């Protein structure tokens, strides 16, 4: 699964080749590790100022893993080997 926000249309089109877009910016599919890594490489090259999260099933305590790209208030952290998400404080716009 890949969720995108504020990414260029060309990246969305590239993801739609490999995955099904079930909602705007939400892509799902069952791809190999090789394809997943290729898709993430495309994300890192084409996402520009947008932000993206990719999650997939794996043999971990939680049953999944994920990576993120771009600025977002949600930040992945490692807590005793368990991947969690923390929220960064809101930025005051002065």
């Amino acid at each position: 699964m890949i969720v995108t926000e504020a990414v260029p249309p060309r990246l969305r089109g590239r993801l739609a080749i490999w995955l099904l877009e079930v909602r705007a910016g939400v892509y799902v599919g069952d791809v190999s590790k090789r394809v997943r890594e290729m898709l993430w490489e495309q994300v890192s090259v084409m996402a520009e100022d947008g932000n993206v999260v990719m999650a997939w099933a794996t043999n971990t305590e939680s049953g999944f893993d994920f990576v993120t790209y771009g600025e977002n208030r949600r930040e992945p952290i490692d807590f005793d080997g368990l991947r969690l998400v923390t929220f960064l404080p809101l930025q005051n716009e002065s």
Side-chain angles (χ1 to χ4, degrees), residues 33-49:
K33 179 180 179 184
R34 182 176 175 196
V35 171
R36 184 177 71 237
E37 289 172 348
M38 180 272 303
L39 289 172
W40 193 249
E41 184 176 321
Q42 294 294 310
V43 165
S44 65
V45 170
M46 300 171 74
E48 297 177 1
D49 293 331

Side-chain angles (χ1 to χ4, degrees), residues 13-29:
R14 182 66 56 97
L15 294 174
I17 292 171
W18 294 93
L19 304 167
L20 179 63
E21 188 174 14
V22 295
R23 291 275 192 264
V26 179
Y27 302 84
V28 297

Side-chain angles (χ1 to χ4, degrees), residues 18-94:
W18 294 93
L19 304 167
L20 179 63
E21 188 174 14
V22 295
R23 291 275 192 264
V26 179
Y27 302 84
V28 297
D30 186 15
V31 296
S32 68
K33 179 180 179 184
R34 182 176 175 196
V35 171
R36 184 177 71 237
E37 289 172 348
M38 180 272 303
L39 289 172
W40 193 249
E41 184 176 321
Q42 294 294 310
V43 165
S44 65
V45 170
M46 300 171 74
E48 297 177 1
D49 293 331
N51 65 75
V52 182
V53 62
M54 176 189 280
W56 62 93
T58 190
N59 189 18
T60 62
E61 190 69 27
S62 61
F64 66 90
D65 202 358
F66 65 96
V67 291
T68 62
Y69 175 89
E71 290 188 28
N72 192 299
R73 282 191 58 221
R74 292 166 180 87
E75 183 175 284
I77 60 170
D78 184 287
F79 183 76
D80 289 335
L82 187 62
R83 302 255 304 163
L84 301 174
V85 175
T86 187
F87 284 84
L88 299 175
L90 288 172
Q91 297 285 334
N92 289 337
E93 295 183 24
S94 312

